[in-house]
Amino acid sequence: MLGFLKKPVVVTAEINLTLVALTLLGLLSRLWGLSYPRAVVFDEVYYGQFISLYMKRIFFVDDSGPPLGHMLLALGGYLGGFDGNFLWNRIGAEYTLNVPVWALRVLPALAGALCVPLAYQILVEMHLSHCAALGAALLILLENSLITQSRFMLLESILIFFILLAVLSYLKFSNLPRSSSFSGSWWFWLLLTGAACACAVGVKYMGLFTYLLLLALAGLHFWHMIGDQSFSNVSLVCHFLARGLALLLIPLAMYLSFFYLHLALLYRSGPHDQIMSSAFQASLEGGLARITQGQPLEVAYGSQITLRNVLGKPLQCWLHSHPNTYPIRYENGRGSSHQQQVTCYPFKDVNNWWIVKDPGMQQLVVSNPPRPVRHGQVVQLVHGITTRYLNTHDVAAPLSPHSQEVSCYIDYNISMPAQNLWRVEIVNRESDSEVWKTILSQVRFVHLNTSAVLKLSGASLPEWGYRQLEVVGEKLSKGYHQSMLWNVEEHRYGKSQEQKEREVELHSPTQMDLSKNLSFMAKFTELQWKILTLKNEDTEHKYSSSALDWITMDTNIAYWLHPTSAAQIHLLGNLVTWTSANLAALLYACLSLCYLLRRRRQICDIPEDAWQLWLSAGGISLGGWAVNYLPFFLMEKTLFLYHYLPALTFQILLIPIVLQHLSDHLCRSVLLKSMFSGLTIAWFSSVYFVYCTFSPVTYGQPSLSASELRALRWKDSWNILLRKQQP
């Protein structure tokens, strides 16, 4: 039984020393001097704010993309013991001692370092030679722009890592022999492909481009499987379901999990609450939750409520009135009703309170038991402080003459009777008898006499309206635009019939019973919609650029400048590599077109296996470049050079593919092959020379003199920083 102990336990392993060496070189190039400079570098001022909010568990919304990348950066801060206390207000600000700079920057640096061996492995899986794979890895290793971007609290290196991991995993999966179908390794690489794609999309939406490319590739491969008669129908269905599970369902589940973790971590109220719905705000600890905790759930006749407009643009605001009236005549000569103004006010105020009244009764208190208001029922809205009724009539609104004026009715004893009946329509109801609920119900108020809908126009009133936002009665409205929707935010059951007692009641906090939280899917849907639709004002940035500038690297970005010396860091690429990548793409396109035309004439210049290799390897590389670059021509946003780095990475992989093809199939004599090899070595030496030349502005050290900095300005469009007092 114990006979196995008589022999030594031997473990045999194959170690690719080239892969190990490339990994070590990648780590050295990205981790060396990582804590320098100990100051805020370019977009660290942006991402650092989110890291601090994660450390303090404060909710935020970032319209740049999903939360995975932010959480990974925050993980570095958490492991380094960061408490979140730092004011991220200025590029170049010195980090205080409590900021673990190395820990905050290490995950992007590790991701950037691992891109080097990933590039090697990808070309090996494309069936390129060892020399071609080594060349691709070294080009990634010596690319100055990739080094710079991976050494700071930025997301591009993490995005590129997951993109390359997804490509490698799919190549590993597709290269497995047919006999390995549904084996452990088959499932591992297929599932890893889906997981890496989900992570790429979870870091930045740019990852979606590569994900779609791999889905298209998987679809093409499966299409070929359908035409293979050796696969049974059952086998094809199993393959289809497996791919659907790994490449669609699991990435979707992972994407949802990123948001679940994000929302679980950020449970406290924060500065971005105001753009979310009242229901979302009430689910956070502090802020609105402190105000709404203990409120009644069901709105009843006699309820005292505040009504928040669902749109939240241009500002979150609440239905409001005050004793001031509309001017008798506006500046353009049009007349008004001279009734009490009704506006939307972007601040909490006692004049935001309204009382829900039953038109058939005079009382303004909640009966016992309360009579809840249901969808389709008619109410009157009484302003709590002035006790005037919300009203609209056939008078043009002050700033929106095609809409009706909304006012609180004053009886001037003229031929303009009150029209103050409103029908409550619950837009997000589940049944036609649904009760109007605090926070949860989105309500449309339809005027009974004119069928106009209470709407926020968004226009800012003149001085006579205190610059508050205009509220109108929208005629002939179709659909349910958010500007027409309102939800009850603060709510209490009114108890005081006397006006003076009621005013005291309106000033007091609410303290009643409400226990209803949003589900995760409701919070996810709202947050996802905000991320996709929230648009910050795109202002022209000093270092913004167009997509056309990227190909020839006609632009750069100054990331950091030392406060006293000339030491500085720039996002600048290796000009030899960028030029070579463009030439490789052009040559690949021209050769492919030439081959296609000649093959159409039954002339095969290269063997079939070489042709398939040329199509597959080049197609992935050039396709990866195209899908990660061309969409930027359709985007209306401020663009920067770093947006090009994922596309550049694919284009760099194309260089050794083209070089190997030229060597194997176009250099047919020994002399030509020798000359080509010599030229390749000389070209690669120039890549290394450019890397060394620009390394001072890649790593920020050593500091260069003014003449040395001027010598680095190889293009007039590059902005190399020079101090006036510098000799």
Side-chain angles (χ1 to χ4, degrees), residues 574-629:
N574 190 309
L575 194 56
V576 173
T577 301
W578 286 51
T579 304
S580 303
N582 292 330
L583 291 174
L586 182 62
L587 191 57
Y588 180 86
C590 292
L591 280 175
S592 298
L593 180 60
C594 180
Y595 286 149
L596 283 171
L597 291 174
R598 288 174 63 81
R599 289 173 74 86
R600 189 67 178 165
R601 300 293 297 171
Q602 306 300 318
I603 303 172
C604 297
D605 299 287
I606 56 177
E608 185 61 27
D609 57 343
W611 170 244
Q612 293 301 325
L613 174 64
W614 175 253
L615 285 181
S616 60
I620 292 174
S621 301
L622 193 62
W625 170 80
V627 299
N628 282 284
Y629 173 57

Side-chain angles (χ1 to χ4, degrees), residues 211-407:
Y211 179 36
L212 293 176
L213 175 68
L214 291 178
L215 283 180
L217 198 60
L220 180 63
H221 289 167
F222 186 73
W223 181 255
H224 290 155
M225 289 176 63
I226 294 176
D228 189 343
Q229 295 298 321
S230 61
F231 284 100
S232 66
N233 292 340
V234 174
S235 177
L236 286 174
V237 170
C238 291
H239 276 279
F240 177 79
L241 293 176
R243 285 161 172 79
L245 172 68
L247 300 181
L248 294 175
L249 296 182
I250 288 181
L252 177 60
M254 288 183 64
Y255 184 77
L256 290 173
S257 71
F258 301 150
F259 279 87
Y260 184 86
L261 182 58
H262 174 74
L263 292 169
L265 290 172
L266 306 181
Y267 58 86
R268 290 178 179 154
S269 173
H272 293 178
D273 292 9
Q274 63 180 14
I275 65 173
M276 308 305 292
S277 69
S278 300
F280 196 106
Q281 293 182 52
S283 70
L284 300 172
E285 180 183 296
L288 182 62
R290 289 184 300 176
I291 300 172
T292 58
Q293 185 176 10
Q295 291 188 153
L297 176 61
E298 296 183 346
V299 177
Y301 291 109
S303 286
Q304 298 170 356
I305 62 174
T306 63
L307 288 165
R308 180 180 186 264
N309 190 264
V310 172
L311 180 63
K313 294 178 182 179
L315 296 168
Q316 65 163 347
C317 61
W318 293 264
L319 189 66
H320 175 94
S321 187
H322 41 243
N324 303 68
T325 59
Y326 291 108
I328 296 177
R329 289 203 174 274
Y330 301 123
E331 292 180 357
N332 59 8
R334 287 192 299 110
S336 78
S337 66
H338 199 46
Q339 300 279 339
Q340 182 173 302
Q341 296 175 19
V342 172
T343 65
C344 204
Y345 189 50
F347 300 99
K348 301 282 187 181
D349 189 86
V350 70
N351 281 313
N352 297 346
W353 284 94
W354 300 81
I355 301 170
V356 180
K357 180 182 175 298
D358 184 346
M361 303 179 67
Q362 291 302 314
Q363 68 181 36
L364 296 177
V365 295
V366 175
S367 60
N368 189 15
R371 293 185 300 122
V373 180
R374 299 182 182 275
H375 168 75
Q377 291 186 335
V378 177
V379 301
Q380 292 172 311
L381 293 176
V382 183
H383 188 239
I385 296 299
T386 64
T387 66
R388 293 196 170 113
Y389 290 63
L390 186 71
N391 185 82
T392 188
H393 35 227
D394 192 16
V395 175
L399 302 180
S400 307
H402 297 292
S403 300
Q404 290 181 183
E405 174 194 274
V406 174
S407 62

Side-chain angles (χ1 to χ4, degrees), residues 89-200:
N89 63 347
R90 180 173 58 87
I91 297 174
E94 292 290 326
Y95 284 123
T96 52
L97 294 177
N98 68 307
V99 181
V101 180
W102 192 88
L104 287 168
R105 292 174 176 171
V106 70
L107 285 179
L110 288 174
L114 292 176
C115 289
V116 177
L118 282 176
Y120 174 85
Q121 286 284 81
I122 286 173
L123 261 71
V124 168
E125 292 300 321
M126 287 180 177
H127 307 297
L128 273 294
S129 67
H130 164 77
C131 287
L134 181 62
L138 291 177
L139 288 172
I140 298 292
L141 175 71
L142 300 177
E143 175 47 47
N144 300 71
S145 60
L146 295 178
I147 295 173
T148 301
Q149 199 68 14
S150 63
R151 288 172 51 81
F152 304 108
M153 281 180 276
L154 306 172
L155 297 182
E156 277 66 31
S157 63
I158 300 175
L159 170 65
I160 294 170
F161 166 76
F162 283 123
I163 284 175
L164 293 182
L165 180 62
V167 172
L168 174 62
S169 301
Y170 186 78
L171 289 172
K172 289 271 191 183
F173 163 75
S174 60
N175 287 337
L176 288 172
R178 181 173 170 179
S179 58
S180 299
S181 295
F182 304 104
S183 64
S185 59
W186 188 90
W187 276 111
F188 173 79
W189 291 115
L190 181 59
L191 292 172
L192 186 58
T193 302
C197 287
C199 290

Side-chain angles (χ1 to χ4, degrees), residues 38-96:
R38 194 175 171 82
V40 179
V41 176
F42 199 61
D43 270 354
E44 286 187 339
V45 74
Y46 177 74
Y47 292 112
Q49 299 175 47
F50 301 134
I51 295 173
S52 287
L53 292 173
Y54 271 116
M55 297 300 105
K56 298 177 180 181
R57 304 293 191 264
I58 294 174
F59 174 76
F60 67 86
V61 179
D62 178 21
D63 65 337
S64 67
L68 177 62
H70 301 76
M71 289 193 291
L72 290 175
L73 294 179
L75 176 63
Y78 174 77
L79 296 176
F82 183 40
D83 57 9
N85 292 321
F86 183 77
L87 187 60
W88 307 87
N89 63 347
R90 180 173 58 87
I91 297 174
E94 292 290 326
Y95 284 123
T96 52

